[in-house]
Structures are given as structure tokens and as C-alpha cells.
Amino acid sequence: MAANDRCLFCRIVSGDIPAKKVHEDDDVVAFQDINPQAPTHVLIIPRRHIPSLNDLTEADAATVGLTLVRVSEIARNLHLESDGYRVVVNNGEAAGQTVFHIHFHLIGGRNFGWPPG
Ligand code: 5GP
Ligand code: ZN
């Protein structure tokens, strides 16, 4: 079975499952989180299916690097850069990863505590 058939985020990338997309290009897609944890909560993902940080190799450097550049651009477009924002990757079940297609959470619009829960 192709990744596209079983992965929620691959299905959002393909348009099979609807999402409020805020950015789309050849390599990266960004969309509103369905259960936002802050006034702004956007998920930024590579189109290509990579399950988690555990799976990264040097061959993924350009893809992941570009995805992070898009995080920065989207934060700027949403006017988050002056107040600040948080970027989170939950990696693995103990960290709270529930969707195994690598994604950056971009969250902003409120203050955040540290350490995270
Ligand atoms: P994780 O827990 O893996 O770090 O993050 C997965 C995120 O995906 C969660 O914040 C969750 O709210 C979001 N999510 C889960 N299902 C959907 C969905 O069907 N559509 C959208 N837009 N977000 C989803
Ligand atoms: Zn996927």
C-alpha cells in the first residue's frame, strides 16, 4: 500500500482529505491544525512521506531544510515574528507524536511556558 493511502497527512497533501491550507508549493504544504493549541497553529510538512525524525538521513537535508524555511516565511506572513512563536516537532509516542508524517507545529499568538509539558 502506498504511503498516500494510509497516512493522514499524505491524504491532506493529495487533497483526498480537506484541510485549510495556508501554503502549498512543489515540496511543502502548510495547513491549519484541526485542534489548535494557540490563536495561530499551523502544521508545515514536506509533501514527501517521512515518518519521523528517526528516519532522517543526509538525503533528506534539502527537504527538511526547505520545510523549516517555509516555517519562517509563514511565521513572517502571519506577523508572528515580532512577538515570537514556538516551533515544535513531537518525535515518537512519548513526545506526543500522533501522526507519523514529519511535521513542524508553528504556534503563536500567546505566551508559552518552559519547560513544555
Ligand atoms: P502530533 O501529535 O503528531 O505532533 O501532531 C499531529 C497534529 O495533527 C495534532 O496537533 C492534531 O490536532 C492534528 N490533526 C490530526 N488530525 C487532523 C486532521 O484531520 N486535520 C488537521 N488539519 N489536523 C489534524
Ligand atoms: Zn505521509
Side-chain angles (χ1 to χ4, degrees), residues 55-67:
D55 303 291
L56 289 183
T57 70
E58 219 163 305
D60 302 308
T63 300
V64 174
L66 183 64
T67 307

Side-chain angles (χ1 to χ4, degrees), residues 62-104:
T63 300
V64 174
L66 183 64
T67 307
L68 193 51
V69 170
R70 295 292 180 249
V71 172
S72 165
E73 291 169 349
I74 291 164
R76 201 175 306 133
N77 291 343
L78 295 175
H79 308 293
L80 296 176
E81 62 182 352
S82 58
D83 284 349
Y85 56 87
R86 187 166 286 177
V87 178
V88 173
V89 179
N90 296 320
N91 188 70
E93 282 171 23
Q97 185 176 7
T98 58
V99 179
F100 284 78
H101 179 133
I102 211 165
H103 50 283
F104 292 99

Side-chain angles (χ1 to χ4, degrees), residues 8-9 12 17-21 31-37 41 43 88-92 95-105 107:
L8 174 65
F9 286 177
I12 285 176
I17 290 178
K20 291 181 184 164
K21 290 181 181 164
F31 51 94
Q32 305 282 0
D33 195 293
I34 205 168
N35 183 24
Q37 301 302 313
H41 189 165
L43 301 172
V88 173
V89 179
N90 296 320
N91 188 70
Q97 185 176 7
T98 58
V99 179
F100 284 78
H101 179 133
I102 211 165
H103 50 283
F104 292 99
H105 295 257
I107 49 181

Side-chain angles (χ1 to χ4, degrees), residues 7 10 49 101:
C7 170
C10 282
H49 182 83
H101 179 133

